[in-house]
Amino acid sequence: MVADILAAPRADGPDPEPPVGGRPRRRPAAWVAMYHSVSNCRDDPYNVTVTPARLDRQLAWMAGRGLRGVSVHELLAARARGAAGGLVGLTFDDGYTDFVTTALPVLRRRGFTATVFVLPGRLGGENAWEPTGPRKPLLDVDGIRRAVAAGMEVASHGLTHLDLTRATDQVLHTEVDDSRHRLAEITGGDVEGFCYPYGRLDQRAADAVRRAGYHYACAIDPGPAGSGDFALPRIHLGEADTSVRLELKRRLARFYGRALEAV
Ligand SMILES: [Zn+2]
């Protein structure tokens, strides 16, 4: 199950960026979208699958508003230059093979990039951590290298998809540190990003990620106070998110602390 900020709507507040008559609108706040699988598979008990047609329409909605989808690496680099306005971080969790076969062509048609969070402890395996639902294949070494070659950011989702808040110190260390080293060997480059499985983190997990040398970590909800870039909040986008819902989610992002500036 993944969080959806439209699942429990709060009272409406003022529009965070009202249109100003005749003058150009202020660039909208940067935010990070969370996807998982991109596939035409309709069996989706955890609401983690979008069809390629829906993804294409969502990216078209972004492009039509002057928004550009980028990897988290690019988003944070732009933010450091004060130039993150109008950017949307695009993230794909779990490293399904459909990221390369199905999402990648859609992204490339738009000239967008993304971050894919993979599981180097399950290379070529499947999503066995899900108790039910369809089994989906995960990227292997070749698939990961194809994603890198296509200009995508590959980052760590841990080794095997464990809830790190319940892991022993030793397991936490292995999941966080070893996944980074293994991925660096596969990609031949630095691994800057981490993504907490299930979006679950606590201070101990965030500290372990920081100590391991990552530059940032993605969560779902805003993290504990002071976690900063080690608990970047994200907005779940799913098959139900038509343009009306996308607009609403974008506007609600600030109220829910999910706009990047709120970190
Ligand atoms: Zn996951």
Side-chain angles (χ1 to χ4, degrees):
M1 207 58 179
V2 289
D4 184 330
I5 61 172
L6 290 186
R10 302 195 324 190
D12 248 352
D15 185 335
E17 37 167 297
V20 181
R23 282 191 286 152
R25 291 167 67 101
R26 186 156 54 87
R27 298 292 282 169
W31 48 286
V32 183
M34 175 178 64
Y35 293 98
H36 289 73
S37 173
V38 181
S39 151
N40 286 308
C41 174
R42 296 286 178 179
D43 182 11
D44 187 29
Y46 302 105
N47 188 22
V48 291
T49 306
V50 294
T51 59
R54 175 64 68 199
L55 176 65
D56 192 46
R57 284 197 289 274
Q58 291 173 342
L59 300 188
W61 173 86
M62 293 174 192
R65 296 184 56 84
L67 302 172
R68 192 160 66 83
V70 295
S71 67
V72 180
H73 162 82
E74 289 181 63
L75 180 63
L76 296 182
R79 189 190 60 179
R81 300 191 306 270
L87 298 183
V88 179
L90 299 179
T91 63
F92 293 79
D93 289 15
D94 302 340
Y96 295 106
T97 56
D98 61 43
F99 176 76
V100 168
T101 60
T102 313
L104 204 53
V106 179
L107 290 163
R108 293 188 81 169
R109 270 204 302 277
R110 298 272 167 210
F112 287 2
T113 60
T115 300
V116 57
F117 292 109
V118 304
L119 294 158
R122 292 185 185 272
L123 295 173
E126 59 182 20
N127 56 333
W129 64 91
E130 303 279 21
T132 59
R135 297 297 102 179
K136 293 187 172 185
L138 302 172
L139 291 170
D140 58 10
V141 167
D142 182 55
I144 288 172
R145 288 180 177 155
R146 285 172 64 189
V148 172
M152 304 296 142
E153 179 185 20
V154 175
S156 172
H157 200 24
L159 276 179
T160 57
H161 210 283
L162 293 181
D163 177 351
L164 298 180
T165 65
R166 302 166 71 109
T168 64
D169 287 348
Q170 182 57 48
V171 169
L172 174 63
H173 176 80
T174 304
E175 288 285 324
V176 171
D177 287 64
D178 289 7
S179 64
R180 184 164 191 261
H181 293 135
R182 285 202 211 177
L183 266 185
E185 283 169 17
I186 293 169
T187 63
D190 190 23
V191 179
E192 297 184 1
F194 188 85
C195 174
Y196 302 100
Y198 309 101
R200 291 187 197 136
L201 74 143
D202 53 17
Q203 197 62 56
R204 188 180 63 121
D207 288 345
V209 171
R210 198 189 304 259
R211 269 200 311 272
Y214 293 98
H215 300 186
Y216 73 87
C218 282
I220 300 175
D221 297 320
S227 32
D229 285 351
F230 289 88
L232 294 173
R234 294 181 295 167
I235 299 174
H236 168 244
L237 296 187
E239 184 65 14
D241 289 314
T242 57
S243 56
V244 171
R245 284 175 57 97
L246 286 172
E247 180 60 30
L248 199 53
K249 284 191 170 185
R250 186 186 68 78
R251 288 176 184 233
L252 285 172
R254 285 201 184 155
F255 298 115
Y256 284 85
R258 289 204 174 96
L260 204 63
E261 280 78 353
V263 171

